[in-house]
Amino acid sequence: MHIDRIHLYHLSMPLVSPFETSFGLTTDRECILVAIHSEGLTGWGECAMDRDPGYSYETTGTGWHILREFIAPCLLGQQVADAEDFQARVAGIRGHHLAKAGVEMALWDLLGQRQEKSLRDLLGGSRSRVDVGVSVGLQASPQALVDKVSRYLSDGYRRIKIKIKPGRDAGDATAVRRAFPSIRLQVDANSAYTLSTAEALKPLDSLDLLLIEQPLAEDDLWEHHLLQKIFHTPICLDESILSLRHARSALEMQACRIINIKPGRVGGLSQAAAIHDLCQAQAVPVWCGGMLETGIGRASNLALAALPGFTLPGDISASDRYYKEDITHEHFHLNPDSTIDVPAGPGLGVTVDPSALKKFTLAEMDLATQ
Ligand code: OSB
Ligand code: MG
């Protein structure tokens, strides 16, 4: 594929309600969209970084810099074959996985459009709908949390994840478990604990949770191993798994029993699929995480979650759980069985609404060969 032009869009989109985690509060979610123009087609990708370096060191600021100065020059005016070729070209750029993943997504969209195949088919998935749940942010009180969870359950979500942090852990989780004794429930700490403060999580071990996500520091697999040894509940890693190598090490040292796969965090769909394959071969369950994506990133997550090893419900909710107005014409709806349909059209299977895009664009830039 000849890469003619790359266009970047820095977006800010208001969330339907603020999303609070142990690392901060988001009311308007930022990201960078990448449009790659090639031989008359346009491929779209989403770089899922936010404004602040709370979840990841990457921000929309670092993304803009890395995309413009380092990633785009590896592609512009050149022939790029596929994701593998792309990864080889950007191998010299250390880190910046969220930025790389957005560009890889746009290349997959182009490949799919050229071959008239959906991203799901290109990746080798077979499901036409995937099991999903909802990730619920920290609320003002345990009762407010129970009310919020109750609303999502009546919307049809059959798996609930709640965010926790020190001081808002056992109390919140116990309140939700008491109110809903048999729902599929899990918690996410976004690395807010240390091995000693994780003592506060002990009561969660008897709440029949599906998993405890990323309790400890993102750069410490070994401490997760030590914690997993004293918990019956499976530990699931999110922030700690930035590559296939991390996934292999984490499984080998029993730092977790489940992995949350986010294509952004691991540097692209190709890397996400490789981690899926590794886990599937070892019968380790995986699920698709979310980053409050727009319709572009959501379409990509749904295609990935159609792979057979994604045996747990993903953090992929309906469009209206995040945004009143999205930038794709297509909106994703929750089916009554707590699934969402995987797009079937070529590539990502979604199209961008130019007027919505314009409304949420803070800055844009066109990159072409000089
Ligand atoms: O830790 O899984 C996380 C959102 C932004 C950054 C990190 C996380 C999340 C979520 C929301 O939990 C998942 C979603 O997109 O619904
Ligand atoms: Mg997480």
Side-chain angles (χ1 to χ4, degrees), residues 19 21 23 55 135 161 163 188 190 213 238-239 260 262 287 289-293 298 315-317 321-322:
F19 187 70
T21 65
F23 59 78
Y55 170 81
S135 172
K161 160 169 138 182
K163 292 290 188 178
D188 186 1
N190 288 110
E213 184 177 345
D238 173 355
E239 285 91 325
N260 161 334
K262 293 178 181 172
W287 54 287
M291 298 279 285
L292 312 175
E293 287 88 347
R298 194 166 318 290
D315 271 354
I316 314 173
S317 309
R321 175 261 177 275
Y322 305 96

